[in-house]
Amino acid sequence: MKYLLLLPLTVLCFTASVCAQADSSGIFRTAKDFLNGKLDFAIRCDSQSHKINADPLFKRNRVIVKHNGQTYKLAKDSVYAVRYCSGVVERLFQGKVYPMVNPGEAILIYKVAIPAIGKTPAQTNWYFSKEAAWPIQPLTIGNLTGAFPDNHAFHDAIIAEFKTDGELSRYDPVHKMMRINRLYLNAKM
């Protein structure tokens, strides 16, 4: 019974630490920094400004930060994520940028929009990571159940709720979270 009470408290603390600095911008060096809300090159968006470019055109292996009048060029693999003043959080993984859809939830979901080029239509690819420090992988029913091999209640909930991989990115407006995270929380109880 006490575990049932601790689970919502843990999720609440995680959400509060990640979202507490929504009016700030900066970089998270590690997954632990992200979970604790610890930003490097941090500014308050209402009173300061700087520029962060996580995917510069000709310096793909660098993150460029202009902060307090100085320019810093950081190796992309030394940065976990970037938070912008708009509230957007982008995770950097294996040299690529993955915009987070739900930075305060347990299972992180990423949405990568690929614009139309010529006759090739626009495309949206969805990814997830089991936890903040876990690798990013395509959001599929097989990958999701494989990431939680011992959570059979979660497997059953996924199979009952979703018929295709495309449905995994649904948002639950009643609980104000991604549907997959709602199922995960229910399966842990």
Side-chain angles (χ1 to χ4, degrees), residues 115-141:
I117 300 174
K119 292 184 180 184
T120 306
Q123 181 178 338
T124 300
N125 296 326
W126 292 88
Y127 301 89
F128 82 101
S129 56
K130 177 181 175 180
E131 297 170 358
W134 278 65
I136 293 174
Q137 53 188 325
L139 182 60
T140 66
I141 293 170

Side-chain angles (χ1 to χ4, degrees), residues 51-66 71-76 79 82 84 90 92 95-97:
K51 290 187 179 189
I52 301 175
N53 190 344
D55 204 22
L57 185 58
F58 297 109
K59 302 270 187 198
R60 294 261 181 210
N61 61 344
R62 298 262 181 232
V63 174
I64 299 173
V65 179
K66 291 184 181 178
T71 300
Y72 301 89
K73 295 176 183 174
L74 309 169
K76 203 176 252 189
V79 175
V82 176
Y84 297 98
E90 293 179 333
L92 309 178
K96 295 181 183 170
V97 176

